[in-house]
Amino acid sequence: EIVLTQSPATLSLSPGERVTLSCRASQSVSNYLAWYQQKRGQAPRLLIYGASNRATGIPARFSGSGSGTDFTLTISSLEPEDFAVYYCQQRSDWPPTFGGGTKVEIK
Amino acid sequence: EVQLLESGGALVQPGGSLRLSCAASRFPFSNYAMSWVRQAPGKGLEWVSAISGSGGSTFYADSVKGRFTISRDNSKNTVYMQMNSLRAEDTAVYYCAKFVGTSGLNWFDPWGQGTLVTVSS
């Protein structure tokens, strides 16, 4: 199965800062990558699909890029509600797999 | 707005069985594949199973193959997960999610609120 490795595991940042999260695949997944945000005690929410397409209702400060094996989720300026755990996910091959997550916490 | 509402989570003994349900509304249910994803306490997300819109195709993670069975009733807009031979490592919040996209490019959106399954004696 395709392994997704997210880095770093934790980021400590302040509101207003720019955030760059990484997701690396063990083999090419083309652009078949999605990103999710999960806040404490809540279900995950889709942010990005197809590596760079924002889901409906997602603010423009969230952007995704990359293809093949290296992907990035960028938050241009952190808002207080953005402190959460972020997961990447692929379905280029079965089974669908998720990265281990990156926690963005308040510094 | 699409709604997914899971139910059926409970405390069950190892070796026991449980059936989860996910009631969907506000979208053409039979047109979409559905999936279950779980999250063990304090851990990440793990895909468990998926079913096509017609119910004719099913897919399972190796960790549950042969023990879990996914099914759907399109007349009731509901997807099910029959869980047998439960183990402690099956303890998790189980999320139902709409499985969107085309071959290869698939994602989960939206997700239900989850239902907790605890396997313990």
Side-chain angles (χ1 to χ4, degrees):
Chain A
E1 70 178 44
I2 295 176
V3 176
L4 298 178
T5 302
Q6 292 187 241
S7 61
T10 305
L11 272 174
S12 298
L13 297 164
S14 301
E17 288 197 82
R18 181 182 179 88
V19 186
T20 300
L21 309 181
S22 173
C23 176
R24 177 163 290 178
S26 58
Q27 64 190 73
S28 177
V29 299
S30 184
N31 70 329
Y32 299 163
L33 192 99
W35 289 93
Y36 302 85
Q37 176 193 65
Q38 186 178 33
K39 297 180 182 179
R40 192 174 191 84
Q42 296 185 17
R45 177 177 71 147
L46 177 71
L47 296 175
I48 301 286
Y49 64 93
S52 60
N53 302 287
R54 267 191 308 277
T56 302
I58 301 304
R61 64 180 181 273
F62 291 93
S63 63
S65 64
S67 66
T69 60
D70 290 298
F71 299 86
T72 299
L73 175 70
T74 300
I75 310 173
S76 59
S77 178
L78 266 176
E79 296 288 336
E81 61 267 29
D82 299 336
F83 291 94
V85 180
Y86 294 84
Y87 294 97
C88 57
Q89 170 256 319
Q90 68 79 30
R91 220 300 282 156
S92 173
D93 195 9
W94 286 97
T97 52
F98 292 88
T102 291
K103 181 179 181 180
V104 178
E105 62 179 23
I106 299 175
K107 188 173 182 178
Chain B
E1 182 182 343
V2 170
Q3 286 195 336
L4 299 171
L5 186 61
E6 301 98 331
S7 61
L11 171 64
V12 61
Q13 292 189 338
S17 298
L18 207 58
R19 189 177 85 154
L20 306 182
S21 300
C22 171
S25 59
R26 303 178 187 172
F27 69 98
F29 184 69
S30 63
N31 288 358
Y32 289 92
M34 298 294 293
S35 195
W36 290 94
V37 178
R38 68 185 180 183
Q39 187 170 35
K43 301 298 184 182
L45 301 168
E46 179 190 16
W47 172 77
V48 174
S49 183
I51 186 167
S52 63
S54 67
S57 296
T58 57
F59 307 85
Y60 298 94
D62 285 346
S63 57
V64 306
K65 200 171 293 182
R67 300 187 298 122
F68 290 11
T69 303
I70 192 171
S71 62
R72 64 191 296 160
D73 184 339
N74 286 343
S75 69
K76 296 182 178 179
N77 285 4
T78 301
V79 61
Y80 304 98
M81 176 65 75
Q82 177 66 42
M83 309 164 69
N84 297 332
S85 303
L86 282 161
R87 306 167 180 167
E89 55 265 36
D90 296 319
T91 294
V93 174
Y94 285 74
Y95 295 103
C96 165
K98 189 167 151 228
F99 195 38
V100 187
T102 59
S103 179
L105 181 54
N106 294 111
W107 57 92
F108 304 96
D109 180 54
W111 300 55
Q113 87 291 345
T115 188
L116 177 62
V117 173
T118 303
V119 184
S120 174
S121 55

